[in-house]
Structure formats: structure tokens, C-alpha cells
């Protein structure tokens, strides 16, 4: 809604004639409708006696155009919020279960969006809202948790552990591990050994 408001202010300040911006608002309507359909929203509920595209074509002022699109976007957001309460939490839970089993594969947000049949942008938003972490942060935490377990229970070198938890690049693995734990893999393993020795 804020982006729509910014666009409205720019168009208004540029003093474009209404007839010159209707095509842009029709494109916005198309994008909103496409997004709604991808998310399973019943678009028919958005249409009243007069279809929205006709209302846009008939609008006589920039204010009318903006009001139509803003109301449409706000209504979509309300529908999605209601759907999230009753449907999408289960979808996120299923995705989390999938990630826990397949974190070592090269799974991307795009792959995940196809698994749960959502757009990438909405999945990114919803995943963060439901788990408190971004998709990448959550996947990284799963990988580093398993890597920590391997460092504690095996004598595998770091490059083997990196591969087993989904990192092809050992340097990237080292940076990710340190970002999460505050220590490099070798420092972490050394600390574990020292604790075992002192407790023994």
C-alpha cells in the first residue's frame, strides 16, 4: 500500500493526465489479480456489478484510480490474512518438516514455493511471520545444527561435514558456521574436546 501511495504521489507531482496512466493501473490490476489467483484467492469476490477493469477505464481522476487499486490491494491483503489463519500455517508446517528431512539438498526459496504452491514473495513473508526467521536463516540453522553434531561425534574433516549438510564450498560453510555459532568449525571441535577432557 505504501508503494502504491508513493507511485500515486509521483504521478500526481508529474501532472500526468488520467488517460495517460490508465494503462499502468490496468497493469497493476492484472498483477494483483495474478498474485491473488496464485495464492488461491477467489477473485470473483473482488468483482461487484461492474468489473474493476471497467471501473478503471471509466475513472475520471487520478484520485479515483488510486482509490480503486488501493482498495483492491487492501482487500487482497485482508483475504490473505484470513487464509493464513486457516490454511497456510499447515503449509508452513509441512515445509518445515520437509526442510528438516532435506536440508542437505540444494533447495532454494523457488523450490520451496513450488512445493507449497505459493509465490516466492508471499512464502518469504509468511515463512518469516510463522517461524521468526527468513527461509535462508532457517535452512542455515538446520545445517549448522547438524554440522555441530557431526563435529562433536565424528572425526570427519570439515570439508566432508560441509558436503553432508549441504555446502559445496568449504569457505562458505566456515563463514556460515561462524556467523551462527561465533566460532569456526575447528574452534568449535577444539572446545568440545577440551570440555570432554576437563569433565573426564
Amino acid at each position: 500500500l505504501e508503494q502504491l501511495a508513493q507511485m500515486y504521489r509521483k504521478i500526481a507531482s508529474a501532472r500526468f493526465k488520467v488517460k495517460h496512466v490508465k494503462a499502468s493501473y490496468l497493469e497493476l490490476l492484472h498483477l494483483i489479480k495474478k498474485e491473488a489467483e496464485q495464492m488461491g484467492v477467489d477473485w470473483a469476490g473482488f468483482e461487484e456489478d461492474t468489473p474493476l477493469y471497467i471501473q478503471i477505464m471509466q475513472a475520471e481522476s487520478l484520485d479515483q484510480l488510486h482509490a480503486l487499486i488501493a482498495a483492491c490491494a487492501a482487500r487482497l491483503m485482508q483475504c490473505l490474512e484470513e487464509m493464513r489463519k486457516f490454511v497456510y500455517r499447515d503449509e508452513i508446517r509441512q515445509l518445515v518438516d520437509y526442510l528438516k528431512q532435506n536440508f542437505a539438498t540444494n533447495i532454494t526459496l523457488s523450490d520451496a514455493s513450488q512445493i507449497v504452491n505459493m509465490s516466492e514473495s508471499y512464502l518469504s513473508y509468511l515463512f518469516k511471520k510463522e517461524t521468526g526467521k527468513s527461509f535462508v536463516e532457517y535452512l542455515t540453522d538446520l545445517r549448522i545444527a547438524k554440522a555441530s553434531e557431526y563435529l562433536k561425534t565424528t572425526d570427519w574433516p570439515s570439508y566432508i561435514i560441509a558436503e553432508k549438510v549441504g555446502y559445496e564450498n568449504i569457505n562458505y560453510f566456515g563463514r556460515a558456521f561462524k556467523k551462527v555459532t561465533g566460532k569456526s568449525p575447528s574452534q568449535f571441535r577444539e572446545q568440545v574436546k577440551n570440555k570432554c577432557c576437563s569433565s573426564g
Side-chain angles (χ1 to χ4, degrees):
L1 289 175
E2 178 57 31
Q3 289 176 342
L4 286 174
Q6 289 178 8
M7 186 186 77
Y8 167 76
R9 289 193 291 269
K10 288 180 179 179
I11 291 175
S13 64
R15 299 184 182 278
F16 286 116
K17 292 183 178 180
V18 175
K19 64 180 181 180
H20 293 154
V21 297
K22 283 184 178 180
S24 296
Y25 277 88
L26 285 171
E27 179 67 17
L28 274 174
L29 177 65
H30 173 73
L31 292 174
I32 292 173
K33 183 177 180 180
K34 184 177 179 181
E35 193 76 4
E37 291 172 346
Q38 286 182 344
M39 297 175 188
V41 174
D42 181 13
W43 184 257
F46 284 65
E47 303 282 12
E48 299 177 357
D49 295 335
T50 306
L52 283 167
Y53 78 93
I54 292 180
Q55 293 183 53
I56 289 176
M57 292 300 297
Q58 293 176 342
E60 297 180 354
S61 70
L62 183 58
D63 287 345
Q64 286 181 328
L65 285 174
H66 176 70
L68 285 168
I69 289 295
C72 185
R75 191 168 178 181
L76 175 59
M77 290 165 60
Q78 184 179 11
C79 288
L80 293 176
E81 183 63 21
E82 291 301 315
M83 292 174 67
R84 183 190 71 81
K85 292 177 181 178
F86 299 107
V87 180
Y88 284 153
R89 285 186 179 177
D90 287 339
E91 300 290 343
I92 297 301
R93 193 176 298 114
Q94 292 171 14
L95 178 57
V96 166
D97 290 341
Y98 180 88
L99 291 177
K100 287 179 179 178
Q101 297 297 320
N102 299 277
F103 61 84
T105 61
N106 186 27
I107 183 170
T108 64
L109 181 62
S110 177
D111 298 327
S113 69
Q114 294 179 30
I115 291 171
V116 295
N117 195 29
M118 295 183 198
S119 68
E120 289 185 42
S121 59
Y122 190 65
L123 173 58
S124 178
Y125 156 77
L126 191 62
F127 195 93
K128 179 68 176 286
K129 188 163 186 175
E130 292 293 333
T131 67
K133 299 176 182 178
S134 71
F135 176 82
V136 172
E137 288 171 340
Y138 194 92
L139 182 59
T140 298
D141 285 350
L142 287 176
R143 289 172 168 174
I144 299 307
K146 189 63 178 180
S148 299
E149 181 182 327
Y150 285 143
L151 286 166
K152 290 177 182 178
T153 59
T154 75
D155 58 359
W156 295 337
S158 291
Y159 73 90
I160 294 294
I161 293 175
E163 290 177 359
K164 286 187 173 292
V165 300
Y167 291 100
E168 296 179 2
N169 187 307
I170 182 64
N171 293 324
Y172 186 70
F173 166 66
R175 290 194 297 270
F177 192 93
K178 189 167 186 176
K179 184 176 180 179
V180 173
T181 67
K183 299 177 178 63
S184 68
S186 59
Q187 290 172 332
F188 182 88
R189 176 171 269 164
E190 188 65 27
Q191 184 182 56
V192 171
K193 287 182 179 179
N194 291 337
K195 285 184 178 180
C196 290
C197 292
S198 61
S199 62

